[in-house]
Amino acid sequence: MYKIHIKRFESFKIMLIISILFLLLSNAVTLRRDKSILFSRVSIIILLYSTFFANNSLYISSIDRGIGIYSGLFQTTSITQIFHIFIFLISAVILQLTAFYPRRVWSEKYSSLNKMLSYNFIYYRSKIINKMGEQFKIIEYPLIMLFIITGSVFLISTSDLVSIFLSIELQSYGLYLLSTLYRNSELATSGGLTYFLLGGLSSCFILLGTSLLYSNSGLTNLDGLYVITSISDIANNYSILYWYNDHYISMSLLILSVGFLFKVSAAPFHFWSPDVYDAIPTLVTTFVAIVAKISILIFLLELVHYANNCIFTSEFSWILGLLISSLLSLLIGTIVGLTQFRIKRLFAYSTISHLGFILLALAINSIESIQAFIFYLIQYSLSNLNAFILLISIGYSLYYYINENKEYQELLDKNNSPIQLISQIKGFFYINPILSLSFAITIFSFVGIPPLIGFFAKQMVLSAALDSGYVFLTLIAILTSVISAVYYLNIIRKVFFDESEYLVNPELLCIDMHASITRKDTFLEKFKFTYKNIILSSYLTISISILTLVILLFIFMPQEWLSMANILALILFNP
């Protein structure tokens, strides 16, 4: 049985390497204008194929608690496989943003399924479908994303101090490159440079923590470290491990966790994330804000669980650092968020606030809290993904509108981040009611209003905290959740109750727009249309619809999600 799983991992690794090689070789067979779209579509296929492989290995949970491969360098468990699948699917949805054009022309005459599949529209104004957008000129984007995803997958499965550092750096270097990928954007370059410098500082903390762990234990394998910490009480009472110093290892783990808290932008190491989120293009922010955090938090989950089972003889435990970070994240993410007027900076502080809930569930380390941790991480990733896709879609949907506000016209990097200020979405409900309702549902989920999915996640974390005696932190979490509703509801007020400042571009009213309709490269006729026929592409509307329905209708299908989180928590605590 072990040989079967090793062969599966080997086939997955070979498939991944071959896919990347084919992606590189396809560089020679296409025109530059079409390469980015081709690469993104091939990358989506690679991720879906990887999802299939990971799904086939899910029954590994029946083999004790997983297996270690390559002399324990990596481990494969049910938790790692579930989050491999989750990362693959999230990344595939994000890659859709560069795999298809964002706008299309809709006509009732040609809207039947048969005609949509057999007919082809050729537009004479490329701006309608945004063919000249910057994201369709950067061919390295999907390849860098694949390297980041590879680092994330390895970090989730790592079981050695050496592979920890290699995995986190593989992920981090890709994120640095991705942030500065828009070469003509001064803001993106400065944001990526800030990310690189401070990310390098966090890597120093990780290296220092791992070196201290090795110097005290003489081990690089985490399984050996878990064994040592689990017998620390016996070792100190009977002098079995005369060289062992539990306080020393606790401090080492604290320094290691500081490096990872820096990477996920938890307070008080959060100061880089609002600037970086706001500076880099929204398309890149979507990936940086979600995928980069999932792998680190899952690694911390296993580190906390297995390295906190010991009874330290000293009064200090490194888990206390996670609780302090949770408290500061709740306070800073909420209070500082009240002063924000740029929407991506607001989302950054929102993420910091929600990290407070996630770290609280992580530090408690009970079956209920780990179940809440897993559920909260999944639901918040989906809600955050929907929020950023909606933000991008709102920018695309304003194609045929103009705004004479000088403040908006003077914004830097408007082409890559069309929506930068909260005031830019004033009265958007009167432009696109459906997108506005979807955006409101997502925001209400962030607030934690029942019966949306965000309410159940917060309720599970708070219940686990109360059961474990963390009354003060529970009260702070409730208070900050109520206060954060102020800036969330301010967004809702501007979208639904303020008057819109957008007007239809008068140039589009005077120009006759038309497209050629072909079938099998044979010209059929010319189709005349107006600005009202220009709508968002199907991939955007379908993705938003599915994510919004998951957030809205969770109350009607909770059993599968909650059962999965409960089973994973029980597997982790299974002796």
Side-chain angles (χ1 to χ4, degrees):
M1 185 66 72
Y2 284 84
K3 291 181 179 179
I4 294 175
H5 287 291
I6 292 173
K7 287 180 179 179
R8 284 187 179 276
F9 187 84
E10 290 285 351
S11 61
F12 168 72
K13 182 180 69 173
I14 293 171
M15 180 275 300
L16 189 63
I17 293 173
I18 291 175
S19 300
I20 292 175
L21 287 176
F22 271 113
L23 203 59
L24 291 171
L25 290 174
S26 62
N27 185 57
V29 297
T30 57
L31 297 173
R32 182 173 182 84
R33 190 189 69 185
D34 300 325
K35 282 180 185 177
S36 177
I37 293 177
L38 173 65
F39 283 10
S40 296
R41 292 177 181 179
V42 172
S43 299
I44 291 174
I45 295 173
I46 292 171
L47 293 173
L48 293 178
Y49 193 44
S50 301
T51 303
F52 172 76
F53 265 96
N55 184 64
N56 280 349
S57 301
L58 274 178
Y59 68 92
I60 197 169
S61 59
S62 62
I63 307 175
D64 198 16
R65 289 160 64 181
I67 61 171
I69 56 179
Y70 298 128
S71 302
L73 194 63
F74 292 99
Q75 60 182 358
T76 305
T77 64
S78 297
I79 292 179
T80 62
Q81 295 302 105
I82 284 289
F83 280 95
H84 287 175
I85 294 173
F86 187 61
I87 287 178
F88 292 148
L89 293 177
I90 288 277
S91 303
V93 174
I94 295 174
L95 272 170
Q96 286 187 100
L97 301 173
T98 53
F100 304 95
Y101 293 123
R103 289 184 289 264
R104 63 186 177 92
V105 174
W106 177 86
S107 170
E108 185 177 357
K109 180 180 178 182
Y110 298 99
S111 60
S112 65
L113 181 61
N114 180 41
K115 291 183 178 180
M116 288 173 61
L117 295 175
S118 58
Y119 288 9
N120 185 34
F121 283 61
I122 301 176
Y123 307 106
Y124 295 102
R125 292 170 58 86
S126 62
K127 289 184 179 180
I128 292 173
I129 55 176
N130 199 35
K131 278 189 175 181
M132 305 307 293
E134 185 72 16
Q135 69 271 31
F136 300 118
K137 300 178 183 178
I138 302 175
I139 61 177
E140 301 89 355
Y141 177 77
L143 189 60
I144 293 174
M145 281 187 63
L146 285 181
F147 280 110
I148 297 171
I149 294 166
T150 304
S152 301
V153 167
F154 285 161
L155 181 61
I156 290 175
S157 301
T158 190
S159 186
D160 192 272
L161 294 176
V162 176
S163 59
I164 287 172
F165 185 72
L166 293 177
S167 300
I168 194 64
E169 289 307 297
L170 179 60
Q171 173 181 292
S172 298
Y173 284 141
L175 291 170
Y176 305 150
L177 291 173
L178 200 64
S179 300
T180 56
L181 204 56
Y182 287 68
R183 303 178 185 88
N184 298 326
S185 171
E186 182 180 347
L187 284 176
T189 304
S190 63
L193 184 60
T194 302
Y195 192 13
F196 169 69
L197 294 175
L198 296 179
L201 177 62
S202 66
S203 297
C204 292
F205 280 100
I206 295 173
L207 274 178
L208 179 60
T210 54
S211 61
L212 290 175
L213 283 173
Y214 177 71
S215 64
N216 185 249
S217 65
L219 297 170
T220 61
N221 191 281
L222 291 181
D223 291 335
L225 180 67
Y226 300 153
V227 171
I228 290 175
T229 55
S230 66
I231 62 173
S232 62
D233 187 52
I234 300 175
N236 281 279
N237 288 337
Y238 296 98
S239 300
I240 296 175
L241 301 177
Y242 63 91
W243 47 266
Y244 174 76
N245 188 331
D246 60 345
H247 183 75
Y248 192 84
I249 284 189
S250 186
M251 288 298 296
S252 303
L253 289 172
L254 177 63
I255 294 172
L256 183 68
S257 65
V258 165
F260 284 108
L261 291 175
F262 216 118
K263 297 284 187 184
V264 298
S265 71
F269 316 105
H270 66 283
F271 44 84
W272 61 269
S273 63
D275 295 330
V276 172
Y277 284 20
D278 191 42
I280 61 180
T282 308
L283 196 68
V284 178
T285 310
T286 307
F287 188 80
V288 172
I290 300 172
V291 177
K293 292 179 172 54
I294 297 173
S295 56
I296 295 175
L297 289 170
I298 295 303
F299 168 75
L300 282 176
L301 167 64
E302 299 197 359
L303 185 65
V304 167
H305 177 70
Y306 292 116
N308 195 41
N309 285 339
C310 60
I311 305 174
F312 288 114
T313 55
S314 62
E315 295 180 357
F316 171 76
S317 172
W318 69 283
I319 301 300
L320 180 62
L322 297 181
L323 291 172
I324 294 173
S325 179
S326 170
L327 175 63
L328 293 176
S329 296
L330 288 168
L331 293 174
I332 293 174
T334 300
I335 296 172
V336 183
L338 293 172
T339 64
Q340 302 305 311
F341 61 91
R342 298 182 67 89
I343 193 161
K344 285 196 292 182
R345 289 182 69 89
L346 179 61
F347 281 172
Y349 283 106
S350 168
T351 299
I352 294 168
S353 176
H354 285 276
L355 276 171
F357 283 91
I358 293 173
L359 291 176
L360 176 59
L362 180 63
I364 294 171
N365 193 35
S366 63
I367 294 179
E368 294 79 10
S369 70
I370 297 305
Q371 179 184 359
F373 169 85
I374 293 172
F375 179 72
Y376 201 111
L377 183 59
I378 292 176
Q379 72 83 22
Y380 184 70
S381 298
L382 293 177
S383 299
N384 220 17
L385 175 63
N386 197 35
F388 277 107
I389 293 179
L390 280 163
L391 202 61
I392 293 170
S393 301
I394 290 171
Y396 287 145
S397 65
L398 295 175
Y399 162 71
Y400 47 81
Y401 289 92
I402 58 173
N403 195 316
E404 296 180 352
N405 191 316
K406 291 183 178 180
E407 185 182 9
Y408 303 159
Q409 295 173 0
E410 294 174 357
L411 289 173
L412 299 176
D413 212 15
K414 290 187 296 183
N415 293 331
N416 298 327
S417 298
I419 304 298
Q420 299 181 30
L421 305 177
I422 299 176
S423 58
Q424 284 182 273
I425 55 176
K426 287 197 302 185
F428 187 74
F429 175 75
Y430 303 103
I431 295 175
N432 193 322
I434 304 299
L435 272 185
S436 300
L437 287 172
S438 181
F439 194 52
I441 290 169
T442 306
I443 294 298
F444 282 138
S445 180
F446 286 157
V447 177
I449 293 178
L452 303 178
I453 192 172
F455 165 77
F456 295 99
K458 287 187 176 182
Q459 185 267 336
M460 289 172 67
V461 173
L462 296 175
S463 176
L466 279 177
D467 289 343
S468 300
Y470 293 92
V471 179
F472 176 72
L473 277 175
T474 303
L475 292 175
I476 293 295
I478 295 172
L479 181 63
T480 53
S481 184
V482 172
I483 295 174
S484 67
V486 174
Y487 58 71
Y488 286 129
L489 295 178
N490 179 49
I491 298 176
I492 302 298
R493 178 182 64 82
K494 288 186 178 296
V495 171
F496 287 88
F497 299 105
D498 287 0
E499 292 185 6
S500 176
E501 297 178 353
Y502 291 96
L503 301 173
V504 177
N505 190 342
E507 293 183 2
L508 296 180
L509 297 175
C510 304
I511 297 175
D512 290 333
M513 294 179 285
H514 57 275
S516 294
I517 302 170
T518 63
R519 184 174 185 179
K520 297 180 180 179
D521 297 329
T522 303
F523 175 80
L524 296 179
E525 61 175 309
K526 281 188 176 181
F527 165 64
K528 195 172 182 179
F529 60 93
T530 66
Y531 70 91
K532 294 182 179 179
N533 297 99
I534 304 173
I535 61 173
L536 292 174
S537 293
S538 299
Y539 82 92
L540 279 173
T541 55
I542 292 173
S543 299
I544 291 171
S545 300
I546 293 174
L547 290 170
T548 304
L549 289 175
V550 168
I551 295 170
L552 180 64
L553 303 179
F554 168 77
I555 193 172
F556 297 107
M557 49 175 185
Q559 193 60 40
E560 290 77 11
W561 289 58
L562 296 176
S563 296
M564 181 191 70
N566 189 34
I567 290 171
L568 291 177
L570 289 173
I571 290 174
L572 193 64
F573 280 84
N574 184 33

